[in-house]
Amino acid sequence: MAYTRGNLAVQPKRKEEVNPLYRQKTKVVTRRMVLPLREKLLYMLTLTFFVLVAGALIWRYLHIYDLNKQAQQLDEIISKSNKQIAVYQMEKQKLEQTVADKAKAEGYKTPVDGNTIIVPKNSTFTDGE
């Protein structure tokens, strides 16, 4: 087997080129196909439809986000109000405990069971009578 690759002594024979009398030139022409008006309109309507659907979805998600934010703010307000109510209840209990002591200090006495005055709800009382 003869070693032909890389050996300059053994070269394959080249084809002889025939010189033609004329040279054929080929030119590649690419034309841009213009879309018909109906097809353009169809593409534009399809694109408009998708943009409107995406806009509606984004608007709904934005509305849901806003509602969630408002719910969180209301939860914060409710928790602050509950804490304030607890503080006021503690103050109420303290004041109820000190009412009897302050009354005694002012000179009031606790009523005896026989001296209790009961006023009916539908009685009419006037200062002049």
Side-chain angles (χ1 to χ4, degrees), residues 9-127:
V10 181
Q11 289 184 349
K13 290 185 180 180
R14 296 183 183 179
K15 291 183 181 179
E16 292 182 22
E17 293 183 13
V18 178
N19 222 353
L21 297 175
Y22 68 93
R23 189 171 182 186
Q24 188 178 13
K25 289 187 177 181
T26 57
K27 197 179 223 183
V28 178
V29 177
T30 57
R31 285 188 180 179
R32 279 193 160 183
M33 294 295 293
V34 178
L35 293 176
L37 183 62
R38 287 184 181 175
E39 195 169 351
K40 283 182 186 178
L41 186 60
L42 177 67
Y43 287 152
M44 289 302 293
L45 287 175
T46 305
L47 181 66
T48 305
F49 174 74
F50 282 120
V51 167
L52 289 176
V53 168
L57 289 175
I58 290 171
W59 182 79
R60 292 300 296 163
Y61 277 113
L62 183 66
H63 184 68
I64 291 170
Y65 172 78
D66 187 42
L67 288 176
N68 285 338
K69 186 177 177 184
Q70 288 177 3
Q72 288 176 356
Q73 289 174 347
L74 287 176
D75 286 342
E76 289 176 13
I77 291 171
I78 288 171
S79 65
K80 287 178 184 177
S81 298
N82 286 338
K83 288 178 185 177
Q84 193 66 31
I85 288 170
V87 168
Y88 288 150
Q89 286 177 345
M90 291 289 289
E91 288 179 15
K92 178 185 168 188
Q93 288 176 356
K94 288 178 185 176
L95 289 174
E96 285 177 349
Q97 291 173 356
T98 59
V99 166
D101 296 334
K102 285 185 180 181
K104 286 181 185 177
E106 294 285 329
Y108 294 104
K109 297 180 184 176
T110 57
V112 183
D113 290 333
N115 294 337
T116 306
I117 301 171
I118 299 174
V119 179
K121 287 184 178 180
N122 55 3
S123 67
T124 56
F125 175 74
T126 58
D127 290 334

